[in-house]
């Protein structure tokens, strides 16, 4: 229980100390929005790295050099743990938002950081709002902001490599923008927390980034085929990395 206590204290302290930082970031954004976005990204990435350090998480990262640095991408990953977000986000090289459930928008301070980072809040119970969230993600990419989406929509509780059915709508971002897709295969993230909730355990996590590809590269003409292709590729990546954990 010591690790979870340290993580909770660290996160709460970070959020409280963030209050004056919000004003500074807002002022910076009035004169240089790009500088505000980058500084917000690096601040949050540092905080996430602190969470991983205090939780005893060791990362093996494969293929980070494959991520394009000169254009926004759509990151598509499997989702099994709350740790997926700090792991992936701490490794993103440039402006990146992620799609999150609407309930997080009600969390004070945390939601403020998320808005600074161009995160999109998804109401899974409202189809019209869901379409608006996808459109917001599309606009982010068009404006140079990468997006992280977990197409399962929620965390999978099955065995390593088991995934819930992907929601094809997540891939409209790639279809409508032509941006590269980068698959993110995560192994063993559930072992950090959910496997022995409410304790946090020292864990070795493996994360692999695929070679980027566009929808045109695959030859698919509809997002259902692209969705199935990505899910199969992720299954293969996860299976290949099991021995590294």
């Amino acid at each position: 229980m010591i690790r979870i206590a340290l993580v909770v204290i660290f996160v709460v302290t970070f959020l409280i100390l963030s209050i004056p930082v919000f004003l500074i970031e807002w002022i910076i954004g009035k004169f240089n929005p790009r500088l505000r976005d980058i500084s917000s990204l690096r601040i949050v990435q540092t905080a996430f790295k602190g969470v991983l350090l205090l939780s005893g998480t060791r990362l093996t990262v494969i293929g980070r050099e494959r991520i394009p640095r000169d254009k926004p991408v759509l990151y598509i990953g499997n989702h099994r743990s709350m740790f997926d977000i700090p792991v992936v986000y701490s490794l993103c090289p440039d402006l990146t938002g992620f799609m999150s459930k609407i309930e997080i928008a009600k969390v004070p301070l945390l939601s403020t950081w998320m808005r600074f980072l161009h995160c999109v809040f998804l109401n899974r119970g409202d189809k019209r709002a869901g379409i608006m969230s996808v459109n917001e993600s599309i606009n982010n990419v068009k404006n140079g902001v990468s997006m992280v989406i977990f197409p399962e929509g929620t965390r999978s509780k099955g065995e390593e490599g088991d995934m819930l059915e992907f929601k094809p709508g997540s891939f409209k971002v790639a279809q409508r923008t032509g941006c590269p897709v980068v698959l993110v295969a995560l192994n063993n993230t559930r072992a950090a927390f959910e496997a022995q909730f409410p304790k946090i355990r020292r864990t070795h996590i493996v994360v692999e980034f695929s070679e980027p590809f566009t929808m045109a590269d695959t030859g698919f003409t509809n997002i259902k085929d692209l969705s199935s292709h990505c899910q199969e590729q992720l299954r293969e990546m996860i299976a290949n990395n099991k021995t590294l954990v």
Side-chain angles (χ1 to χ4, degrees), residues 170-197:
S170 305
F171 295 86
K172 287 184 179 179
V173 176
Q175 182 187 47
R176 297 266 297 276
T177 68
C179 73
V181 176
V182 174
L183 303 179
V184 188
L186 295 152
N187 283 68
N188 210 37
T189 54
R190 190 172 176 81
F193 182 52
E194 285 81 359
Q196 64 284 323
F197 177 84

Side-chain angles (χ1 to χ4, degrees), residues 90-102:
S90 64
L91 297 170
C92 294
D94 206 343
L95 297 181
T96 306
F98 58 88
M99 189 172 284
S100 173
K101 58 185 180 182
I102 191 67

Side-chain angles (χ1 to χ4, degrees), residues 124-173:
R124 290 173 291 189
D126 186 330
K127 186 174 181 179
R128 180 183 175 88
I131 292 173
M132 292 176 64
S133 296
V134 171
N135 288 337
E136 186 178 350
S137 298
I138 290 169
N139 287 333
N140 277 351
V141 171
K142 287 181 177 179
N143 290 323
V145 180
S146 296
M147 289 297 300
V148 177
I149 297 181
F150 299 111
E152 293 167 273
T154 190
R155 284 170 279 165
S156 169
K157 299 178 182 179
E159 297 297 321
E160 193 82 83
D162 291 345
M163 283 179 270
L164 303 173
E165 183 178 356
F166 276 12
K167 293 175 170 52
S170 305
F171 295 86
K172 287 184 179 179
V173 176

Side-chain angles (χ1 to χ4, degrees), residues 11 15 22 48 104 107-115 121:
V11 171
L15 291 175
F22 291 145
F48 278 153
I104 303 298
V107 180
L109 304 180
L110 175 61
S111 59
T112 304
W113 274 119
M114 292 176 70
R115 289 187 174 93
F121 298 101

Side-chain angles (χ1 to χ4, degrees), residues 77-81 84 152 156-164 184-192 194-195 201 203-208 231 234-245:
N78 58 305
H79 192 24
R80 288 173 49 78
S81 172
D84 295 339
E152 293 167 273
S156 169
K157 299 178 182 179
E159 297 297 321
E160 193 82 83
D162 291 345
M163 283 179 270
L164 303 173
V184 188
L186 295 152
N187 283 68
N188 210 37
T189 54
R190 190 172 176 81
E194 285 81 359
R201 189 181 73 181
T203 308
H204 177 209
I205 291 171
V206 178
V207 53
E208 180 178 4
Q231 190 160 31
L234 277 172
R235 284 197 181 100
E236 183 176 331
M237 292 165 70
I238 293 166
N240 290 341
N241 293 335
K242 278 185 178 180
T243 58
L244 301 178
V245 175

Side-chain angles (χ1 to χ4, degrees), residues 18-30 36 112 116:
S18 293
I19 295 173
V21 179
F22 291 145
L23 176 60
I24 297 171
E25 292 291 88
W26 180 80
I27 293 172
I28 293 173
K30 286 294 182 180
R36 189 280 311 275
T112 304
F116 273 173

